[in-house]
Amino acid sequence: MKRQGYRNSTVRACVRALRSVGRRADLLQSESAKAYLAGAELSEGRKAVIVQHLARFYTYKRIPFDKPRYVPVDTLPFVPMESEIDQLISGVGSKTAVYLQLLKETGARAGEAWNLRWIDVNPEAGTVTITPEKGSRARHSKVTGSLVVMLNRQPHLSEYVFRNPSVDSIDSLDNFSRNFSKQRRKIAEKPQNPRILRISFRTFRHFKATMEYHRTKDILHVMQVLGHRNIQNTLVYTHLVDFGGNDYVCKMARTVDEAKELVENGFDYVTEMDGTSLFRKRK
């Protein structure tokens, strides 16, 4: 796979899938692997991915393999409420909180955020530069002043904001992800809210895309924010914007600084009454 140009993350995902099947079936017997998949409690989409990994393995081993047919069920991404995302961010450790806030404000993929370098952060302009992965486009993302402060509070131990350059990026991100899962489980137990358990690193990307489309109704803008090259990958978010008419948080601003802070935090100006500006944002 490496000789054919696959990314390390894809190679490792393939290896993990093969090891998982190998613990439950005789991997060198294709019919044994197929029998395991047939009875496994996995989604059709996950089974389809494993079949592709098995096909590569059996081609390499020159073992005949009649690929079973699994068709992924079309499902919409899970998009939590902003209050649930903020509750999660406020409950995790400081480094994880900065990382999650970055995902929330930029919609970056987990690996893109993990590989953020200090040189990519422009405090004066209030932007971060996202170096793409998976064939996406590079882009600049506007971030809030509060996130810039959070980033600057991180220890400057290397050229990277989050990762340790002496450790393989995929390994270190995997460890970071496992630690996040433990923190998330504890946070979800307190309010007994199982929805928090569904919030993954990818969920923040879905949240950003959905909120941006709701705010602008401009699918090309959302495509640019996410770094997509194919608009078909972006169009799914047009189906997620279906909010009730009263799902708003309202805030008042009496000074320019208060108004500026609200705008930086995603609030939209509505009107002015009795010298007070009213702003609102979706919950």
Side-chain angles (χ1 to χ4, degrees):
M1 289 178 69
K2 287 186 177 180
R3 288 198 297 268
Q4 292 174 348
Y6 286 96
R7 295 177 180 272
N8 284 341
S9 57
T10 305
V11 175
R12 293 186 182 220
C14 178
V15 171
R16 284 195 295 267
L18 294 175
R19 284 176 174 167
S20 178
V21 174
R23 288 193 293 268
R24 298 165 176 84
D26 185 349
L27 194 57
L28 294 178
Q29 300 293 327
S30 61
E31 290 302 315
S32 175
K34 287 168 62 176
Y36 156 69
L37 273 185
E41 294 184 359
L42 301 170
S43 68
E44 294 291 294
R46 180 59 184 160
K47 288 183 179 182
V49 170
I50 293 176
V51 165
Q52 294 304 316
H53 292 322
L54 287 171
R56 295 189 188 99
F57 174 72
Y58 290 131
T59 298
Y60 170 70
K61 285 291 189 179
R62 298 183 180 179
I63 296 174
F65 180 54
D66 183 16
K67 292 200 299 185
R69 182 173 178 270
Y70 293 106
V71 180
V73 177
D74 187 22
T75 58
L76 292 175
F78 169 66
V79 180
M81 295 185 293
E82 185 170 16
S83 59
E84 294 170 329
I85 282 182
D86 290 341
Q87 179 184 352
L88 184 58
I89 293 175
S90 64
V92 296
S94 59
K95 178 179 178 178
T96 307
V98 180
Y99 180 79
L100 296 183
Q101 187 68 32
L102 178 68
L103 295 182
K104 177 188 175 184
E105 294 192 19
T106 65
R109 291 187 173 89
E112 293 172 339
W114 188 244
N115 288 317
L116 184 73
R117 300 168 299 171
W118 288 112
I119 198 174
D120 298 326
V121 181
N122 187 333
E124 294 184 2
T127 62
V128 296
T129 300
I130 304 298
T131 302
E133 64 176 14
K134 293 189 175 181
S136 296
R137 296 182 185 275
R139 63 255 187 218
H140 293 295
S141 292
K142 189 73 176 175
V143 296
T144 63
S146 59
L147 176 56
V148 172
V149 172
M150 293 171 71
L151 286 167
N152 284 332
R153 286 176 179 168
Q154 289 294 106
H156 290 54
L157 302 177
S158 72
E159 63 176 308
Y160 293 98
V161 178
F162 300 106
R163 59 169 288 207
N164 182 347
S166 65
V167 181
D168 183 273
S169 177
I170 303 300
D171 284 338
S172 57
L173 180 55
D174 284 346
N175 292 332
F176 185 72
S177 178
R178 283 191 287 270
N179 183 53
F180 163 69
S181 296
K182 294 177 182 177
Q183 297 180 72
R184 180 185 59 190
R185 192 179 309 115
K186 292 181 180 178
I187 295 168
E189 289 173 355
K190 294 179 182 178
Q192 295 294 308
N193 184 358
R195 286 171 52 87
I196 292 179
L197 292 173
R198 298 184 63 188
I199 300 177
S200 65
F201 292 157
R202 184 179 299 178
T203 305
F204 287 82
R205 184 169 169 84
H206 299 325
F207 174 82
K208 176 65 174 177
T210 304
M211 294 301 105
E212 285 297 312
Y213 182 70
H214 164 72
R215 184 175 67 85
T216 65
K217 298 299 189 293
D218 184 347
I219 196 65
L220 294 179
H221 166 73
V222 179
M223 180 181 178
Q224 183 179 22
V225 168
L226 298 182
H228 284 162
R229 290 185 178 274
N230 187 340
I231 198 170
Q232 294 299 322
N233 296 327
T234 319
L235 288 173
V236 65
Y237 297 103
T238 63
H239 302 296
L240 299 179
V241 180
D242 183 21
F243 300 106
N246 298 319
D247 294 336
Y248 287 98
V249 174
C250 296
K251 297 284 186 179
M252 297 184 298
R254 294 184 174 86
T255 67
V256 173
D257 288 340
E258 289 179 351
K260 178 175 177 291
E261 184 178 355
L262 289 174
V263 171
E264 287 180 344
N265 284 282
F267 283 82
D268 296 320
Y269 172 76
V270 179
T271 188
E272 186 168 335
M273 298 178 63
D274 300 328
T276 300
S277 299
L278 301 180
F279 293 78
R280 70 178 184 178
K281 182 173 69 171
R282 290 290 182 180
K283 291 182 179 179

